[in-house]
Amino acid sequence: MNYELFIAKRLTEARQDKSNISSPIIKIAITAIALGIIIMMVTISSSIGLQQKIREKIAGFNGHIQITNFDNNNSEITLVPINIGKDFKPDSINVESIKYIQPYATKAGIIRTVTDFEGVVVKGVDQHYDFSFFKEYLIEGNLPNYNEKRSNEVLLSQHIANALQFNVGDEFNTIFLKEDTNRPPSIRVFKLVGIYNSGFQEFDESIMIVDLKQVQKLNNWDSNQVGGFEIILDNFDEIELKSNEIYAETPSELNTQSIISKFSGLFEWIKLFDTNTLIIIIIMILVAGINMITALLVLILERTQMIGILKALGSNNWSIRKLFLYNASYIIFKGLFWGNLIGISILLIQKYFGIISLNPETYYVSKAPVYLDVSYILLLNIGTLFLCLLMLLIPSWIITKISPVKAIKFE
């Protein structure tokens, strides 16, 4: 009879025999691996998902890279314009991975009603502006149409609309103060056509989207003067590299700033997610590995006599160790199977039903985001299997120390 088939059969019987001491230990090891893979999968998915959502929302309001005049010290108010064609030509930037460039201008304003008022940052955009971000978070009404000569249609967040008790179709006054305080403020009547809710309180509390021509009129600019340009890239991971390349392509009086440097505090905060995720992965793999080591040691102790007999019959240490490691691999695979099944099910439920809610004031999203990708799931499984087997090489070394004579007498 083949020795390897013999020991493999006996080890399989050991797993299935509930009267053995190893049976509950093996179940605990399978459970530990399953729980570990679930926790790691959920941690990675939620961490990457949250990072992506926050980045998408910041980019939705600001673009990936902004080109502005150095004289505009206050990033919320563009006082010194950029002349398109004279100061800057968008087509002159010869940098790859740029998806599109869109002009904008911002101005501080106050929405005034009979009973209340609210300060806002009026962001002017033109007919070529990409409204895909606001379309995703539009909860009522429609997107504004800026193809007219000068439109009074605006987008407001649900936060501001609720605070001022506005509904779609309402018209309201917005007051714009002038630099010369002796001059009376300008008043514009806007019509609310759409309400959005991005869940990013920092922007929802202040941003109102209007026609760029309205801001140009308020600032006494001509049609070629804008506050700045937003650049959208194809790949966010290249943002710092492309920001430097674009800066080299722009005139010296213009500044180029990526959202990573502009909102450095937020991006430093979301970087901490990677550290926390790494710590959780290390802990989970250690817990799974320790449980597997315990299970393997118990299997070896239970089969000490069998190991002694096989050695006496001429079987070498490595062939016996391999069979125990194969058996351990079966246990790991079983744990990975249940862990993946349960973990992916949890993530899919969250993705499509959004059961777990978050505080948008803290996390900038109202529902826990989910990122699902086959590559990281495969990498997680392969890594867990490899590291657990690597840790099992040490306890399997005990087999080499078992004496055939003593083992045969062992009870």
Side-chain angles (χ1 to χ4, degrees):
M1 183 178 180
N2 187 291
Y3 296 140
E4 292 188 355
L5 288 176
F6 171 74
I7 193 171
K9 184 178 178 182
R10 295 297 300 273
L11 287 171
T12 303
E13 291 172 354
R15 290 198 308 264
Q16 296 173 347
D17 188 358
K18 295 182 180 179
S19 63
N20 287 337
I21 297 173
S22 61
S23 181
I25 301 296
I26 289 171
K27 289 179 180 177
I28 292 171
I30 292 171
T31 304
I33 291 171
L35 285 175
I37 205 74
I38 291 168
I39 293 171
M40 287 189 289
M41 195 179 295
V42 170
T43 302
I44 293 172
S45 176
S46 58
S47 175
I48 297 176
L50 190 58
Q51 286 179 325
Q52 286 187 341
K53 275 295 178 185
I54 292 174
R55 291 188 321 201
E56 285 174 8
K57 290 183 179 183
I58 296 175
F61 284 103
N62 301 274
H64 291 136
I65 299 168
Q66 290 185 339
I67 298 175
T68 56
N69 201 304
F70 268 114
D71 293 330
N72 292 319
N73 296 323
N74 188 342
S75 59
E76 299 298 338
I77 305 172
T78 51
L79 299 174
V80 181
I82 298 174
N83 285 280
I84 301 175
K86 181 181 178 182
D87 298 333
F88 177 72
K89 295 179 180 179
D91 297 336
S92 65
I93 298 181
N94 186 23
V95 176
E96 294 182 356
S97 299
I98 292 179
K99 194 173 182 180
Y100 51 85
I101 303 175
Q102 53 196 22
Y104 76 97
T106 54
K107 191 171 182 66
I110 301 171
I111 299 175
R112 189 77 172 92
T113 66
V114 177
T115 58
D116 212 343
F117 66 92
E118 191 80 25
V120 292
V121 175
V122 174
K123 180 177 180 179
V125 299
D126 65 7
Q127 69 271 23
H128 303 298
Y129 185 78
D130 180 21
F131 277 102
S132 57
F133 170 77
F134 289 99
K135 185 178 181 180
E136 180 182 351
Y137 295 102
L138 192 70
I139 60 173
E140 191 178 347
N142 303 298
L143 295 172
N145 180 9
Y146 294 149
N147 291 321
E148 300 176 7
K149 187 175 181 181
R150 192 190 316 142
S151 174
N152 68 338
E153 296 182 348
V154 301
L155 272 179
L156 268 180
S157 71
Q158 188 180 37
H159 174 86
I160 299 174
N162 289 343
L164 298 174
Q165 299 181 352
F166 284 166
N167 295 310
V168 171
D170 288 350
E171 294 187 349
F172 56 89
N173 293 331
T174 303
I175 302 170
F176 298 92
L177 301 177
K178 295 184 177 178
E179 291 183 67
D180 186 356
T181 55
N182 295 321
R183 298 177 62 189
S186 299
I187 300 176
R188 292 291 184 272
V189 179
F190 293 119
K191 181 180 179 180
L192 180 59
V193 296
I195 298 174
Y196 70 89
N197 182 11
S198 72
F200 205 116
Q201 290 292 104
E202 184 174 334
F203 296 118
D204 284 358
E205 290 176 352
S206 59
I207 300 295
M208 180 172 77
I209 304 298
V210 305
D211 190 348
L212 177 61
K213 291 184 282 291
Q214 292 282 2
V215 180
Q216 289 172 333
K217 178 67 174 177
L218 287 164
N219 289 336
N220 293 319
W221 295 349
D222 61 40
S223 59
N224 290 324
Q225 292 180 306
V226 297
F229 294 90
E230 292 177 351
I231 298 177
I232 309 299
L233 303 175
D234 290 320
N235 186 2
F236 182 88
D237 295 331
E238 297 180 340
I239 188 169
E240 290 294 354
L241 173 65
K242 297 304 174 183
S243 179
N244 293 331
E245 290 180 10
I246 293 169
Y247 182 78
E249 295 276 338
T250 56
S252 59
E253 65 270 14
L254 299 182
N255 184 31
T256 301
Q257 187 178 33
S258 70
I259 54 173
I260 292 180
S261 59
K262 185 176 181 179
F263 302 97
S264 56
L266 278 174
F267 281 95
E268 287 297 326
W269 174 65
I270 63 176
K271 273 185 182 178
L272 295 175
F273 297 166
D274 294 332
T275 304
N276 296 338
T277 300
L278 182 61
I279 292 171
I280 291 172
I281 289 173
I282 292 171
I283 292 172
M284 289 299 103
I285 289 178
L286 284 175
V287 170
I290 290 168
N291 277 276
M292 281 304 306
I293 289 170
T294 304
L296 185 62
L297 288 173
V298 171
L299 280 173
I300 291 171
L301 289 172
E302 277 194 339
R303 294 291 176 264
T304 300
Q305 283 186 329
M306 184 182 67
I307 294 169
I309 293 170
L310 289 171
K311 283 190 174 185
L313 293 172
S315 194
N316 61 52
N317 287 320
W318 179 238
S319 64
I320 300 173
R321 287 178 71 184
K322 280 195 300 182
L323 290 169
F324 275 93
L325 290 173
Y326 292 154
N327 188 66
S329 299
Y330 169 83
I331 297 171
I332 296 171
F333 274 117
K334 196 169 183 180
L336 291 175
F337 170 77
W338 288 110
N340 280 276
L341 182 65
I342 298 170
I344 293 173
S345 298
I346 291 171
L347 293 175
L348 288 173
I349 290 170
Q350 176 61 25
K351 183 175 182 177
Y352 292 106
F353 298 101
I355 295 173
I356 301 174
S357 300
L358 297 176
N359 183 358
E361 293 184 4
T362 304
Y363 296 100
Y364 306 105
V365 291
S366 55
K367 302 290 182 182
V370 169
Y371 172 77
L372 271 174
D373 187 77
V374 176
S375 59
Y376 89 79
I377 293 175
L378 286 175
L379 187 62
L380 188 61
N381 281 270
I382 293 170
T384 302
L385 175 64
F386 174 76
L387 291 173
C388 284
L389 287 175
L390 193 65
M391 285 189 280
L392 292 177
L393 288 174
I394 297 173
S396 70
W397 180 75
I398 294 174
I399 293 171
T400 63
K401 298 298 180 181
I402 294 176
S403 169
V405 176
K406 293 181 180 179
I408 293 171
K409 295 180 180 179
F410 178 77
E411 292 185 3

